[in-house]
Amino acid sequence: MKRRGLFTRNLFQTFTAFLFVCLCAFLTAIDIKTEPPQSQAALSPSFSVDKSGIVTTRASGTATVTAMMKDKTVSVQVVAPKPGPAKIEVRPETASGLVGDDIRLNAVAVDAKGKERTDLTVDWKSGNPAVAAVNADGIVSLKAAGTVTIVASAEGKTASAVLTVANPPTAKVDVRPAVAALFVGETKQLEAVAVDAKNGEQKDPAATWQTGSPSIASVSNNGLVTANAVGSAVITAAVGSITSSPVTVTVKAKESSSLKLLQDELRTRLRGKDPSELIYLSGITGEIAGTGDPTKFAGDAEQAGLSQHPLALELAELPKDRYGLIDWATAIKTEKVKPRYSIDPKAGADEVPFQLDVVVFTKSQFMPDVIFPHFVHTLWLTCTNCHPAIFPMNAKEANRTMTMPRIASGEFCGRCHNRVAFPLSDCLRCHVKPKEMPPVDPDYQAQNKARMP
């Protein structure tokens, strides 16, 4: 389509116009030519004008059209703008992904002839930033499960894409807190957290809760635990086919003034008993071990995990070390306890404690050596409790292989210490012999000659 005058025509549309030059009515000849400004010289191939004044454009841009007659000229600037898009499209129109993923969207303008433009400035907007956020480049970050619409706008046209976001597959389920201690009648809220392979967490998933002992601790559909009776129960949460590690809930009796009444009652019952015998009070029957069937008590107590009565241990007033733990060695020396060789009161001693101190040389020149007293150990134990399964009978061989890391992991002295005996952190309970320089043990010198100064 053409228009005469001061309009233009390009590849998208043809502008035509009449150019009237009213210099005088008797002009005999008019010469018309295009003269693009120097700064627009590159656009001149996109414009043309014929002798009748019809300007044709082949691309967007500007040019100057000049009409000349003798020594008279008239110039007009012609502008050919870029045509606006007929529509824009967002590609892809639909997509899906997992929380934590990124999806790139592209906006493309299409003109009336179906040709594409990619030079548009596009504004992006998310219909729900909590589910997915989009930046200026069209990159969408998926944040939470759900459906969201992403809208692109450019030059008055809009288009959108619909994204579906799902949670990643659950790799494991954590229950928090991992342990719980309650008194009867109390409640505790547990939380299930689904953790994916990237350690992303989804709190409050649809979890199925289960308790192993509902009579002791029950659990509701939302993870609320109720303590019903004294004991312990195992609680688990499952999300889909993934089950959490078990959480142990310990339920205790309510502490109240009744505790003192129980202690007073126990004192009355035990009046006249040897206080050193109190550690043998049954946690099940309430009777001193050995005052009935000497075989039944041990078996029942061991199965119930109540080999000693907790109130009786308090009444025994056993000495404590600086860590607040029972100092069994001092308890023996002060005769607060009198270790038995059997729970059968008729059984006699099968071994007599003996005095034998063994020096264990440390492998460090800065740590005192250890003195191992057989006497206090043989008050409780027999030789076969330790030899040869735990300690070789060859003391030098045991000294060569014994290290603190191995002890801390439960070998050698660690079979009892850190468990029922005083902790390994109380170093000076064992390391009591000052280091002599050089060490007095020839074998130690030979083994460590290269390390000695």
Side-chain angles (χ1 to χ4, degrees):
M1 179 176 66
K2 295 183 180 180
R3 293 184 182 177
R4 297 181 182 277
L6 303 180
F7 300 90
T8 61
R9 181 188 66 190
N10 57 19
L11 292 176
F12 313 102
Q13 57 185 334
T14 302
F15 296 94
T16 60
F18 288 103
L19 182 63
F20 296 97
V21 182
C22 301
L23 299 176
C24 61
F26 52 86
L27 296 178
T28 57
I30 296 177
D31 185 15
I32 302 175
K33 67 177 182 179
T34 62
E35 181 183 336
Q38 186 175 359
S39 60
Q40 299 293 328
L43 296 177
S44 59
S46 302
F47 291 80
S48 64
V49 60
D50 60 18
K51 289 185 177 182
S52 62
I54 297 175
V55 180
T56 303
T57 65
R58 298 176 178 82
S60 60
T62 61
T64 300
V65 178
T66 303
M68 295 175 291
M69 184 172 126
K70 294 184 180 181
D71 58 347
K72 304 295 183 180
T73 62
V74 176
S75 297
V76 177
Q77 189 178 56
V78 179
V79 178
K82 288 185 178 180
K87 65 176 181 177
I88 63 171
E89 297 177 355
V90 176
R91 301 173 184 172
E93 293 182 356
T94 60
S96 60
L98 303 177
V99 172
D101 291 345
D102 290 335
I103 296 177
R104 185 179 186 88
L105 299 178
N106 295 297
V108 179
V110 181
D111 65 16
K113 295 182 179 180
K115 294 184 178 181
E116 296 182 356
R117 281 179 56 189
T118 58
D119 59 343
L120 296 179
T121 299
V122 180
D123 291 327
W124 295 93
K125 185 177 181 181
S126 170
N128 190 346
V131 174
V134 61
N135 66 12
D137 297 322
I139 298 176
V140 183
S141 299
L142 309 184
K143 298 182 176 297
T147 302
V148 61
T149 300
I150 306 297
V151 179
S153 303
E155 297 190 11
K157 304 296 183 180
T158 62
S160 62
V162 177
L163 305 184
T164 302
V165 186
N167 288 312
T170 299
K172 67 174 182 176
V173 177
D174 288 339
V175 174
R176 300 170 185 172
V179 293
L182 302 173
F183 292 111
V184 173
E186 290 185 335
T187 60
K188 181 73 173 180
Q189 180 65 57
L190 300 182
E191 178 187 31
V193 179
V195 183
D196 59 38
K198 297 179 180 179
N199 288 326
E201 295 186 353
Q202 177 197 354
K203 295 187 177 182
D204 299 322
T208 301
W209 293 89
Q210 187 172 8
T211 174
S213 304
S215 62
I216 294 174
S218 56
V219 61
S220 68
N221 292 334
N222 63 353
L224 182 66
V225 177
T226 301
N228 301 318
V230 175
S232 61
V234 172
I235 307 291
T236 58
V239 177
S241 61
I242 308 298
T243 302
S244 70
S245 298
V247 171
T248 300
V249 176
T250 303
V251 182
K252 301 178 181 179
K254 281 189 175 181
E255 294 180 343
S256 65
S257 59
S258 61
L259 179 61
K260 186 176 185 304
L261 296 177
L262 291 174
Q263 289 177 324
D264 292 341
E265 179 184 351
L266 194 60
R267 281 194 180 95
T268 301
R269 289 181 53 196
L270 298 176
R271 187 171 297 159
K273 295 287 185 180
D274 185 347
S276 65
E277 294 284 310
L278 292 183
I279 64 168
Y280 298 106
L281 186 69
S282 168
I284 301 173
T285 65
E287 301 294 335
I288 297 294
T291 58
D293 184 347
T295 60
K296 184 177 181 181
F297 162 72
D300 290 349
E302 187 174 330
Q303 292 176 17
L306 297 171
S307 57
Q308 291 141 343
H309 196 295
L311 290 179
L313 288 177
E314 292 184 21
L315 293 176
E317 298 178 350
L318 298 176
K320 304 292 180 62
D321 61 15
R322 60 193 179 118
Y323 291 90
L325 304 174
I326 295 175
D327 186 340
W328 293 108
T330 301
I332 292 176
K333 294 174 184 177
T334 58
E335 296 189 342
K336 288 286 187 180
V337 294
K338 297 176 182 178
R340 295 181 178 185
Y341 294 94
S342 170
I343 59 174
D344 184 353
K346 298 178 181 179
D350 56 355
E351 291 185 10
V352 177
F354 65 101
Q355 290 280 3
L356 177 63
D357 291 345
V358 176
V359 178
V360 180
F361 295 95
T362 62
K363 298 176 176 61
S364 167
Q365 291 296 306
F366 306 99
M367 192 65 168
D369 294 325
V370 173
I371 295 181
F372 177 82
H374 273 81
F375 178 78
V376 71
H377 288 83
T378 54
L379 284 172
W380 295 94
L381 307 169
T382 65
C383 297
T384 54
N385 287 138
C386 299
H387 302 294
I390 300 176
F391 293 94
M393 292 301 295
N394 186 330
K396 293 180 180 179
E397 175 64 18
N399 188 30
R400 185 182 66 82
T401 58
M402 185 166 47
T403 63
M404 284 305 300
R406 293 184 68 178
I407 294 174
S409 67
E411 298 183 67
F412 301 108
C413 308
R415 293 290 289 272
C416 293
H417 290 278
N418 263 8
R419 298 182 180 183
V420 296
F422 62 82
L424 298 174
S425 56
D426 198 356
C427 304
L428 297 181
R429 290 281 290 273
C430 297
H431 292 269
V432 296
K433 183 178 183 297
K435 181 70 68 174
E436 297 179 9
M437 297 293 289
V440 297
D441 183 6
D443 288 339
Y444 181 90
Q445 287 181 315
Q447 295 169 12
N448 297 274
K449 184 176 181 181
R451 300 168 50 188
M452 293 176 60

